[in-house]
């Protein structure tokens, strides 16, 4: 309907505004007061450029004006039949059509109002769907993770809508790998902590020396005995008491009686002839002494090498390294195995030292050291990643942020799916309603 008419420079009007119009309005006045002028403006507003008609809600509808001009166009007076008129332009059914139009308009208007009311409800439903989703993002995203990733949420801590829209965006575009919360937290602590320092790699055990020792055990597999062509050798070989004689020789050499000017047997305490001492010397000749020297050198080398290995393992376990913490129990178990093998070998070497004629074989420790090295290589791999994160903080931060968003999206997956499903249903309903509203609006203006 029309709610205001502005008339300028038309007939008797200079400047006039008619307001507060109702659905039905009456204009009355004597001839020449402007009633026909108003009807002409309503009928053909384009012919009155200085005038203006305001429609309610800017919804203009078709206007039909029954005035003198309409009568002149629509009726003609028959010759010599004063007072008898015939309606032209097939207007005999105009009144019936007008009434039908009024009914149709009423139905259309009623339907239009219902459609608009339904659309309003759908708009409210759309808003509620987003508000509900927004709260779930806030609770399940920010509040749940703020203590772990506080700095990451900078820019979203006071804006629920911004956070929800970001989560929706990431749910559609994020192609980062899904990491566990623990892995994300480790990287976050490195990248967002300004005081994080690089860590040195843990040196692996070099196995060349211990492998060489284990492979070159010829002296341990040699029965170290004296010279065989000495008279005393027959008795020693017959009794197989090489090591007993060797120990006896040491006592014998320290049991010289200056009064008798002779060596005394440490066992029977009898004076021995001079050639007996010479036979002992010849039996334990230079070759024997050289082998004993080799044996002692081997034992000393083994002890020093394994001492270094044991000390290094202990230092590694005692070191303060965040990437070693979950490996220390395994390393301690390996250390116990290693030390057990070393102690067994030291006992074997002591046995060989006491009885050079015996043959022994050491238990290898290099396989256990290899297992320890495998653990350390895994630790060093994590240390390398740690150092790379520090060296490339800017790039790694972008990668980490995407991974955190990926984790959040995954945590809220069911809520996101539910929101999008409802959103799609509401959108389709609103689209349908808007189409119907447009169609009914067009009917009103026909």
């Amino acid at each position: 309907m029309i709610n205001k008419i502005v008339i300028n420079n038309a007939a008797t009007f200079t400047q006039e505004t008619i307001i507060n119009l109702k659905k039905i309005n009456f204009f009355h006045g004597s001839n020449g007061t402007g009633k026909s002028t108003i009807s002409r403006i309503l009928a053909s507003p384009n012919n009155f450029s200085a005038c203006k008609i305001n429609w309610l809600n800017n919804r203009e509808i078709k206007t039909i004006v029954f005035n003198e001009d309409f009568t002149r166009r629509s009726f003609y007076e028959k010759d010599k039949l004063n007072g008898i008129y015939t309606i032209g332009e097939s207007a005999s059914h105009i009144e019936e059509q007008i009434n039908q139009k009024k009914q149709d308009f009423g139905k259309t208007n009623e339907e239009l109002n219902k459609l608009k009311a339904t659309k309003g409800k759908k708009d409210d439903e759309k808003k509620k769907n987003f508000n509900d989703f927004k709260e779930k993002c806030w609770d399940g995203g920010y509040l749940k993770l703020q203590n772990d990733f506080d700095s990451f949420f900078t820019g979203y801590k006071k804006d629920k809508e911004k956070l929800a829209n970001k989560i929706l965006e990431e749910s559609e575009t994020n192609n980062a790998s899904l990491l566990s919360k623990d892995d994300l937290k480790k990287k976050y602590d490195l990248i967002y902590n300004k005081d994080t320092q690089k860590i040195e790699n843990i040196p692996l055990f070099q196995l060349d020396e211990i492998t060489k020792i284990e492979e070159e055990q010829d002296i341990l597999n040699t029965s170290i005995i004296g010279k065989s062509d000495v008279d005393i050798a027959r008795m020693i070989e017959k009794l197989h008491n090489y090591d007993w004689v060797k120990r006896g020789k040491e006592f014998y050499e320290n049991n010289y009686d200056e009064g008798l000017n002779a060596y005394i047997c440490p066992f029977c305490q009898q004076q021995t002839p001079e050639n007996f001492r010479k036979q002992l010397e010849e039996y334990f000749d230079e070759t024997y002494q050289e082998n004993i020297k080799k044996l002692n050198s081997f034992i000393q080398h083994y002890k020093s090498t394994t001492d270094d290995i044991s000390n290094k393992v202990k230092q590694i376990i005692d070191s303060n390294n965040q990437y070693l913490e979950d490996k220390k129990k395994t390393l301690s178990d390996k250390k116990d195995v290693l030390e057990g093998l070393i102690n067994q070998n030291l006992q074997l070497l002591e046995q060989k030292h006491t009885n050079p004629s015996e043959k022994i074989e050491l238990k290898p420790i290099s396989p256990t050291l290899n297992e320890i090295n495998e653990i350390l290589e895994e630790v060093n791999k994590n240390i390398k990643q740690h150092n790379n994160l520090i060296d490339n903080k800017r790039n790694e931060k972008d990668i980490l942020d995407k991974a955190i968003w990926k984790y959040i999206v995954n945590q809220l997956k069911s809520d996101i799916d539910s929101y999008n499903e409802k959103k799609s249903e509401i959108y389709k309903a609103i689209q349908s309603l808007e189409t119907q509203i447009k169609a009914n609006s067009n009917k009103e203006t026909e």
Side-chain angles (χ1 to χ4, degrees):
M1 61 175 259
I2 298 171
N3 59 8
K4 184 170 71 172
I5 302 172
V6 178
I7 306 173
N8 286 317
N9 300 323
T12 59
F13 295 100
T14 302
Q15 183 172 356
E16 186 70 39
T17 302
I18 303 173
I19 60 174
N20 297 325
L21 295 173
K22 308 298 181 182
K23 284 187 176 181
I24 299 175
N25 303 274
F26 293 94
F27 296 89
H28 57 88
S30 58
N31 292 336
T33 57
K35 300 188 296 300
S36 296
T37 300
I38 294 173
S39 68
R40 289 187 180 110
I41 293 171
L42 294 175
S44 304
N46 292 334
N47 295 334
F48 299 86
S49 60
C51 301
K52 184 177 181 182
I53 299 174
N54 285 355
W55 293 85
L56 182 64
N57 295 327
N58 292 320
R59 195 175 70 211
E60 183 178 353
I61 64 176
K62 186 175 181 180
T63 304
I64 300 175
V65 176
F66 298 93
N67 58 5
E68 185 179 355
D69 297 335
F70 175 83
T71 302
R72 189 177 299 112
R73 291 194 309 272
S74 303
F75 294 85
Y76 67 91
E77 184 178 358
K78 288 185 177 289
D79 294 338
K80 299 179 182 180
L81 291 175
N82 296 331
I84 304 299
Y85 297 89
T86 301
I87 300 177
E89 300 183 2
S90 301
S92 61
H93 302 293
I94 287 179
E95 184 175 359
E96 181 181 344
Q97 291 175 357
I98 290 173
N99 291 332
Q100 184 61 45
K101 287 288 185 180
K102 286 182 178 179
Q103 292 179 11
D104 293 343
F105 178 82
K107 291 178 181 179
T108 301
N109 192 55
E110 182 180 357
E111 180 65 21
L112 186 61
N113 290 334
K114 289 180 180 179
L115 290 171
K116 289 182 177 180
T118 303
K119 181 179 178 297
K121 291 179 180 178
K122 286 297 178 181
D123 288 336
D124 292 341
E125 189 177 340
K126 176 183 176 182
K127 183 176 180 181
K128 183 179 184 302
N129 184 39
F130 181 74
N131 286 336
D132 291 344
F133 174 72
K134 181 173 63 178
E135 293 301 322
K136 289 177 181 178
C137 290
W138 188 254
D139 295 339
Y142 175 65
L143 295 182
K144 187 176 181 180
L145 299 173
Q146 61 175 328
N147 293 332
D148 296 303
F149 307 108
D150 180 67
S151 297
F152 166 79
F153 285 106
T154 299
Y156 298 94
K157 296 179 181 179
K158 296 182 179 180
D159 196 331
K160 295 181 180 181
E161 184 171 339
K162 182 179 179 181
L163 177 67
N165 285 326
K166 178 63 175 176
I167 290 173
L168 288 174
E169 176 189 340
E170 293 293 334
S171 70
E172 296 176 357
T173 62
N174 194 311
N175 56 3
S177 299
L178 181 61
L179 302 179
S180 68
K181 182 180 176 183
D182 288 341
D183 288 340
L184 292 173
K185 179 61 175 170
K186 289 176 183 177
K187 292 186 177 183
Y188 172 84
D189 290 340
L190 285 176
I191 293 175
Y192 278 87
N193 187 347
K194 297 179 181 179
D195 298 327
T196 303
Q197 301 295 323
K198 297 177 73 172
I199 301 175
E200 292 186 3
N201 281 349
I202 301 173
L204 302 182
F205 287 93
Q206 300 302 314
L207 304 184
D208 294 346
E209 191 63 29
I210 192 64
T211 301
K212 183 178 179 182
I213 291 174
E214 292 175 348
E215 290 176 350
E216 297 178 1
Q217 298 188 40
D218 293 346
I219 193 63
L220 304 183
N221 298 321
T222 300
S223 180
I224 304 175
I225 59 177
K227 191 175 181 182
S228 61
D229 60 354
V230 180
D231 291 341
I232 199 174
R234 295 188 189 93
M235 177 191 70
I236 295 173
E237 291 175 3
K238 182 179 180 179
L239 298 176
H240 294 286
N241 58 356
Y242 315 100
D243 300 321
W244 182 85
V245 173
K246 177 181 179 296
R247 288 193 295 273
K249 178 177 179 294
E250 295 173 359
F251 293 123
Y252 176 74
E253 289 176 346
N254 292 321
N255 200 24
Y256 181 76
D257 191 325
E258 294 183 358
L260 297 175
N261 194 25
Y263 284 92
I264 306 301
C265 176
F267 304 107
C268 66
Q269 296 298 309
Q270 298 296 317
Q271 181 178 345
T272 61
E274 178 63 23
N275 66 338
F276 180 77
R277 188 181 68 82
K278 289 182 179 180
Q279 288 187 51
L280 286 176
E281 291 291 343
E282 289 181 16
Y283 182 77
F284 297 106
D285 62 359
E286 184 177 347
T287 301
Y288 178 89
Q289 297 301 328
E290 185 65 28
N291 284 335
I292 292 296
K293 184 178 179 181
K294 288 181 181 179
L295 174 63
N296 291 336
S297 176
F298 183 95
I299 293 173
Q300 185 59 40
H301 188 197
Y302 187 85
K303 284 183 177 179
S304 63
T305 302
T306 53
D307 280 347
D308 289 343
I309 290 173
S310 296
N311 290 334
K312 183 177 178 181
V313 174
K314 184 178 184 303
Q315 290 173 1
I316 290 173
I317 293 175
D318 293 340
S319 64
N320 182 20
N321 187 317
Q322 66 192 74
Y323 296 102
L324 263 177
E325 290 305 314
D326 59 345
K327 305 292 184 184
K328 285 188 175 181
K329 177 61 171 61
T330 305
L331 284 173
S332 294
D333 293 340
K334 297 296 181 184
K335 176 177 175 291
D336 292 341
V337 173
L338 182 69
E339 291 182 345
L341 292 171
I342 291 173
N343 288 333
Q344 290 181 52
N345 288 338
L346 291 176
Q347 290 176 13
L348 288 171
L349 291 173
E350 182 61 27
Q351 180 180 330
K352 176 68 174 178
H353 181 265
T354 304
N355 302 300
S357 63
E358 292 187 12
K359 297 180 180 180
I360 65 169
E361 184 175 354
L362 299 181
K363 299 180 182 297
I365 66 170
S366 53
T368 305
L369 286 175
N370 266 324
E371 293 173 0
I372 293 175
N373 274 346
E374 288 176 1
I375 296 172
L376 297 181
E377 284 176 348
E378 185 177 350
V379 173
N380 283 339
K381 182 180 179 181
N382 292 330
I383 292 175
K384 182 179 180 181
Q385 291 178 349
H386 169 103
N387 293 337
N388 287 339
L389 287 176
I390 294 176
D391 290 337
N392 304 286
K393 267 192 173 183
R394 175 169 295 183
N395 291 336
E396 292 296 337
K397 180 179 178 299
D398 293 339
I399 296 172
L400 172 63
D401 287 351
K402 295 296 288 184
I404 295 176
W405 282 122
K406 182 73 172 183
Y407 178 82
I408 294 172
V409 166
N410 186 67
Q411 293 294 302
L412 295 169
K413 187 176 185 308
S414 61
D415 295 320
I416 294 171
D417 291 344
S418 177
Y419 167 76
N420 283 330
E421 184 178 350
K422 290 181 181 178
K423 177 184 176 183
S424 178
E425 292 175 357
I426 295 170
Y427 175 79
K428 290 178 181 178
I430 291 177
Q431 287 289 99
S432 176
L433 288 168
E434 287 179 345
T435 300
Q436 295 178 64
I437 289 172
K438 183 177 180 181
N440 279 275
S441 295
N442 290 336
K443 286 181 181 180
E444 280 193 336
T445 58
E446 288 176 355

